[in-house]
Amino acid sequence: MGFLHLYYRVVKLLGSDQRLGWVLSFANVSLACVLFAEPIIFGRVIDALSRSSNLPRFEIWSVVWPLLVIWIGFGLFTIVCSTAVALFSDQLAHRRRHFALGEYVEHVLHLPLAQQTKTHSGRLMKIMLQGTDTLWWLWLSFFREHLAAMISLIILIPIALYINWRLALVLIVLCLVFSYLTHFVLRKTQGLQQQIESHHSDLAELTSDTLSNIALIQSFSRIQIELNSLHQISQRVLMAQFPVLSWWAVVTVLCRTTITISILCIIVLGVWLFTQSLITIGEIVTFVAFAGIIFSRLEQVVGFANKLSTDAPRLKEFFDVLDTAPAIKDSPNAIDPGRSKGLVEFHQVCFSYNRQQLALDQLSFVVKPGQTLALVGASGAGKSSALSLLYRAFDPQSGSIKIDGLDIRQFQLTALRRNIGVVFQEPLLFNRSIADNLRIGCPHASDEELRAACVRAQALDFIEQQSDGFNTIIGERGRTLSGGERQRLSIARILLKDAPILILDEATSALDTLTEASLIAALKEVMQSRSTLVIAHRLSTIREANHILVMDAGQVVESGSFEELYQQGGRFTKIMQQQYSLSNL
Ligand SMILES: Nc1ncnc2c1ncn2[C@@H]1O[C@H](COP(=O)(O)OP(=O)(O)OP(=O)(O)O)[C@@H](O)[C@H]1O
Ligand SMILES: [Mg+2]
């Protein structure tokens, strides 16, 4: 993405503020036009004074005061206009930053898990914060200073040519030197700048990963090792950064030198022109003032180019995330068929995470409404992967998955996910209150409904023991709760969601025997009226299932009821005997 294209994207993000953008641009043009008036009037005053040195005092004033009134008029216009520009540019930049942030978060939240797992949340966070900060700065500085600076340059040079073309040539050469130097350094540093940004993103990813695993780092005494990794990336940032800084330092020195030489040239050339009667003192004064304005604008534009080159990779990263098209989205004819009856069918489903190795190979099964299907098998057999396809965390490469006879790709995603309640293998919780976490699936649930769900999930006792009961904040990922408590909360949350299809991924694995027994009873009650797909490691859950699939390396190797499978004496019997000491069953 080139500079201009990036800039175009930035302007497009102005959205509904584009009209204000135009008004501010117009105000900037006016300010730039007014800017040249001051040196011209100043020159006129000096010329008027030098011509009328022998006139009486009141006559001198009668020549000078109209010029002063015009000067005051321009001054007032500049003050009002620049205050309005500063105020509205600030408001616009802040407002658009929040819009851009919202747009980014919404986009990332819509990206399917397949894309989310590729990028660390720390990296996404860094791209969001730095990207929106850069956008904010670009809008603000563009409307406050840089647009006016660029327009002034475009306006001042023809005027300078008009006033005295010989002196103006010096200014034109100066502008060309500045443009060349800036272009040269931009070309030299572009690649390095991209490297710097990518190292910065690595740094953000590593820091975020480290900070979210403090317990692990402390228990493995890895503090120094982690700091070393951090230090290594910082070194890489600095190694790439220093040459860029040096290049820009060279440009600054060269620009300053060019300005000093140009001033000298203007003065020497001005004196010579004066001796030849080709210029007045007023014109020289006007010109030196002009040159001063042009120098400061040129320095501003070079500073802007420098900042743009630093920020371009940040913006590119930001737009790259926004441009990631969600691989899983509603098809154009997607429908919302309402509440499902609960008939689930997998037909010859093949799925691979990396398109090389199959995680699921020709998986087929049917779960009739209200029935329970249990998936058992070794770790890594593909059980969680299989069920994640049902709520379209991923799409299979071939085969079909249907609910009530309708392919799940024909459902609106929200309609599909509304019909499925998932208790994940690791309970996923927000750093919010217990009540907020419970209401995720049912935002309008009353306090009584919350309590009733917690009673059924055996969660009420521990919630009431918390300092603030249902209002207790449970920390990042529910860190302040035990593993079993987190699981019971996620079960209560699913009870509140009341979906017709349930997916339970080892929901009972972290509970003590007593709690587990009562929880299983509660789950049984919920499961009765729903189709349930359960990844079961517990004997009691496996026994209750209407149908059991034994999986190995992504394939179903045995299937049937508990008794049928156990009597076959195959893989299932071996697993049961190994795990549950059922040799005498
Ligand atoms: N997001 C992912 N990206 C790439 N590969 C993955 C991903 N999730 C799982 N896998 C791989 O797919 C295979 C099946 O994993 P899956 O989580 O489905 O196993 P499982 O049967 O649920 O195991 P467990 O009983 O340990 O939970 C494994 O080899 C795993 O490494
Ligand atoms: Mg699993």
Side-chain angles (χ1 to χ4, degrees), residues 380 383-385 425 505-506 535 537:
K383 306 177 297 290
S384 299
S385 307
Q425 194 162 8
D505 198 345
E506 298 169 335
I535 295 171
H537 285 216

Side-chain angles (χ1 to χ4, degrees), residues 434 458-466 481 485 488-489:
I434 291 178
Q458 310 293 312
L460 192 63
D461 286 352
F462 85 80
I463 294 174
E464 284 184 334
Q465 279 164 20
Q466 300 291 315
L481 301 178
E485 288 167 349
R488 279 178 275 167
L489 261 197

